Amino acid sequence: MKAETDFNPEEWVSWVLEHENEDTSTLALRYAGKKNLPLKALLHQIKGRRIAKQKLPSWYQFPTIFYPDSTIIEQCSSEATALLKATFVKGKKVADLTGGLGVDSWAFAQEAESVIFCEPDPLRCEAARKNFAILGLRNIEVVCNDAESMLQHKSLEGIDLIYLDPSRRSEGGNKVFRLKDLRPDVLSLKDAMLAQSTEVIIKLAPMLDISEGLKQLPETYRVDIISWKGECRELLFHLSNTKNTVEIFCINAGHPEHVFRFSPNEESSLSLTIGEPEKYLFEPDASIRKGGPWRSICEKFGVSLLHPNSHLFTGSMPLENFPGRVFIIHDIMPYKKEIILAALKGHPAQLVFYNFPVDAHEVTKSLGIKSGEPRYLFFTQTAALGTIVLLTTHL
């Protein structure tokens, strides 16, 4: 049997495409013991292509892309978020010190002058060399080394930007997000990175408390909160020795034109506008909900927050440039089953919960409403009315 390091996707592309939609556990049992079949590597290919179909559509178009292991594609950036990050590196020399599958390096290379892809795992480096060639990139240098060694030997002097995406898995495989638990150690490396590059970008877990991250990384001058498909996916901390005023950018990777920018200092100085439901309801994007610029949203768009803990806004105008979803409010109801069902008249609806005292699963089971659009029921609270249900349609 061939060793995993000898695996060549081109030799097995027909087999992978033939079995791509089959259950991998069933395949593992069916082909177990086939000595001439590199089964482990083939199953990685199948799993990789399945994930790439949604996560990396451009990569999926190339059947011979090499996925060296399952973990790497589960943890890599999505194509949408990687391309968004590439907008920060135009014309620069970039070093990606945690190369992994190479998605971020691939995106950087489309905008940067040159990219160094650094990865300590030999098989992942081999995969990167093959994949970058398949993807038609010639300005990436693959270096099989770890971040600590690269920085210790000052191999990155002259680099404009260093990118670090530390592993958010413990040795036992559990997810971690605090800076002290990440590998490589962000806190011990930041000074060395800033000594060899004018700028550093560190990708951190969306679970991280941003204010805590700013305390531990005081060199930060910008934080990007990136959402994709309704979820907060990444936090990017931009570090520099020359800038000290922090700004936060809330960005939806699917609609990067709708960027909401705010200053934490200004946010704390503004007043919070609380109001009852008007004609329109505004549900902020996941990046906004993570950043929490409630006062800045009220100030910029002239809207009111329904409740300090509800995170839904209301106003009299539709606001096409609002960073989130906009709904027309048709009815305001108490949380009573007979009233809600009468208002729906047998139609399906999507149920959405914000700061509602009753468990969402319990509500869904009790009402028995079929899920479907265009109607949306928002279960929430307001400062004056208390618990309410809003019957809306998406604008």
Side-chain angles (χ1 to χ4, degrees):
M1 177 178 176
K2 289 185 177 181
E4 296 298 318
T5 52
D6 296 329
F7 177 77
N8 186 352
E10 294 182 4
E11 297 177 13
W12 298 94
V13 63
S14 297
W15 193 95
V16 171
L17 294 177
E18 179 184 350
H19 299 288
E20 183 177 333
N21 296 316
E22 297 182 38
D23 180 69
T24 51
S25 298
T26 303
L27 287 172
L29 290 172
R30 187 193 313 167
Y31 290 99
K34 299 283 186 181
K35 294 183 178 180
N36 294 324
L37 198 70
L39 187 58
K40 184 178 179 180
L42 289 170
L43 294 180
H44 287 326
Q45 289 299 104
I46 289 174
K47 290 178 181 178
R49 281 187 56 74
R50 286 181 183 171
I51 296 174
K53 189 172 185 178
Q54 300 298 323
K55 194 174 185 179
L56 306 170
S58 294
W59 289 48
Y60 180 77
Q61 301 304 315
F62 297 89
T64 56
I65 288 285
F66 182 16
Y67 304 101
D69 57 76
S70 299
T71 303
I72 195 174
I73 191 169
E74 292 171 356
Q75 297 182 356
C76 74
S77 298
S78 68
E79 181 172 322
T81 58
L83 291 173
L84 177 60
K85 280 176 281 190
T87 61
F88 303 130
V89 305
K90 193 171 184 66
K92 295 182 178 181
K93 296 179 180 178
V94 181
D96 180 353
L97 296 189
T98 44
L101 185 61
V103 177
D104 288 315
S105 289
W106 161 78
F108 291 154
Q110 296 179 55
E111 298 289 345
E113 179 183 329
S114 62
V115 177
I116 295 176
F117 167 98
C118 178
E119 165 62 49
D121 185 273
L123 185 58
R124 292 180 175 182
C125 287
E126 178 189 348
R129 289 188 185 96
K130 290 180 178 180
N131 293 341
F132 294 149
I134 291 169
L135 294 163
L137 297 172
R138 300 290 182 268
N139 60 336
I140 305 179
E141 178 188 358
V142 175
V143 178
C144 195
N145 206 343
D146 57 46
E148 294 88 346
S149 296
M150 294 290 285
L151 291 166
Q152 182 181 356
H153 294 97
K154 297 185 178 180
S155 306
L156 303 174
E157 290 184 336
I159 290 292
D160 300 310
L161 186 147
I162 293 176
Y163 174 75
L164 194 74
D165 178 9
S167 173
R168 289 173 288 281
R169 295 275 182 178
S170 66
E171 291 183 1
N174 296 322
K175 290 184 178 181
V176 296
F177 61 92
R178 293 182 178 86
L179 268 64
K180 66 182 180 65
D181 298 323
L182 306 180
R183 292 295 177 270
D185 188 336
V186 170
L187 298 177
S188 67
L189 293 181
K190 64 173 183 173
D191 289 341
M193 289 190 288
L194 286 168
Q196 297 183 49
S197 176
T198 56
E199 185 176 7
V200 172
I201 297 179
I202 303 174
K203 173 182 169 181
L204 298 172
M207 291 177 62
L208 179 72
D209 181 270
I210 293 175
S211 60
E212 184 63 27
L214 291 173
K215 287 179 183 178
Q216 296 186 66
L217 299 171
E219 302 85 356
T220 303
Y221 70 91
R222 169 175 176 155
V223 178
D224 295 307
I225 308 172
I226 301 178
S227 67
W228 185 54
K229 294 188 174 180
E231 294 183 20
C232 184
R233 303 287 179 149
E234 300 181 6
L235 299 180
L236 300 179
F237 278 62
H238 298 243
L239 281 61
S240 171
N241 284 322
T242 60
K243 304 173 184 178
N244 53 22
T245 301
V246 179
E247 287 189 305
I248 297 179
F249 293 72
C250 301
I251 309 171
N252 181 345
H255 299 280
E257 68 279 7
H258 293 164
V259 177
F260 188 79
R261 173 181 181 178
F262 73 99
S263 161
N265 289 336
E266 291 181 7
E267 169 69 17
S268 62
S269 68
L270 297 172
S271 59
L272 185 63
T273 307
I274 304 295
E276 296 305 305
E278 298 185 57
K279 185 174 182 180
Y280 294 96
L281 183 73
F282 304 94
E283 180 190 28
D285 177 68
S287 62
I288 299 287
R289 299 198 297 272
K290 174 64 181 178
W294 315 123
R295 293 172 171 82
S296 299
I297 290 283
C298 292
E299 176 80 9
K300 178 173 181 178
F301 294 101
V303 294
S304 303
L305 200 62
L306 290 182
H307 185 282
N309 298 322
S310 292
H311 302 165
L312 292 169
F313 298 88
T314 188
S316 59
M317 302 294 290
L319 300 177
E320 293 181 1
N321 61 338
F322 182 82
R325 300 195 295 181
V326 182
F327 298 84
I328 302 174
I329 299 175
H330 299 286
D331 202 353
I332 304 170
M333 302 172 285
Y335 176 53
K336 292 185 177 181
K337 181 176 180 178
E338 62 275 14
I339 295 177
I340 296 170
L341 295 181
L344 284 177
K345 300 178 181 179
H347 294 293
Q350 297 284 359
L351 276 56
V352 187
F353 296 84
Y354 282 91
N355 189 32
F356 198 68
V358 186
D359 180 73
H361 177 73
E362 181 181 332
V363 173
T364 303
K365 184 178 179 181
S366 172
L367 293 178
I369 298 170
K370 186 177 179 181
S371 179
E373 297 188 71
R375 295 164 186 80
Y376 284 74
L377 288 176
F378 280 84
F379 295 77
T380 188
Q381 296 185 58
T382 73
L385 297 177
T387 301
I388 61 168
V389 181
L390 300 174
L391 174 60
T392 72
T393 53
H394 192 281
L395 187 61

